[in-house]
Amino acid sequence: KIYEVITWKLVCSLPCGVGLIHECNWSHDDLCIACASASGLCHVWMLAEQVTEHVLPHPAYVYSVQWIENSSVVVTACYDGAIRCWMNEKLIQVLMGSSGSRINTLCYEYNTNKLYSADATGCITIWIVDNML
């Protein structure tokens, strides 16, 4: 459920399947939201239509999701230690973290075009997005 912050009025309700939602992330233009979940799916929603735009399947828990390149690319982090880059519903790149351990979180720095990933061993990796895609 998405609420307006000032009034706490319900704006919309987006059914996201079964399981714990680990992270939700808004697109840079605030038109879409992506949700990473324990169901092994990442849902991408167009908020104006309140419909699922894309469902991104993974082999295990999806812990984190970030928007890259002005909302055209979504990057997800999974229990299997892989970082997946998606354009629309198409998987365009799979990157393995340096330790092979589960990736717990992602952070995208828009000004420098860098993606940071942190895994279960405490390793933080910096990815140059231009070299990834």
Side-chain angles (χ1 to χ4, degrees):
K1 295 181 180 184
I2 298 176
Y3 293 89
E4 186 177 300
V5 175
I6 295 172
T7 65
W8 290 105
K9 178 184 172 190
L10 179 65
V11 174
C12 64
S13 182
L14 306 171
C16 211
V18 180
L20 176 68
I21 296 174
H22 288 286
E23 181 178 32
C24 290
N25 198 312
W26 294 92
S27 62
H28 298 293
D29 58 11
D30 292 333
L31 298 176
C32 299
I33 189 170
C35 296
S37 73
S39 68
L41 299 174
C42 178
H43 289 82
V44 179
W45 298 90
M46 293 274 306
L47 291 177
E49 291 86 25
Q50 295 184 20
V51 296
T52 305
E53 183 179 32
H54 304 295
V55 177
L56 312 175
H58 294 72
Y61 303 130
V62 186
Y63 286 117
S64 189
V65 59
Q66 289 289 309
W67 294 88
I68 308 282
E69 302 286 322
N70 295 323
S71 301
S72 63
V73 175
V74 172
V75 179
T76 57
C78 189
Y79 181 83
D80 66 356
I83 296 171
R84 291 173 173 82
C85 305
W86 306 83
M87 186 173 291
N88 300 319
E89 285 184 285
K90 182 180 178 190
L91 180 62
I92 58 173
Q93 180 84 12
V94 178
L95 306 164
M96 291 306 294
S98 59
S99 72
S101 181
R102 72 176 180 267
I103 307 290
N104 293 324
T105 191
L106 297 169
C107 180
Y108 177 66
E109 188 175 32
Y110 188 75
N111 294 332
T112 62
N113 210 26
K114 292 179 182 174
L115 179 74
Y116 299 84
S117 64
D119 68 23
T121 66
C123 180
I124 297 173
T125 305
I126 301 171
W127 306 86
I128 307 299
V129 173
D130 293 337
N131 298 338
M132 290 171 39
L133 305 175

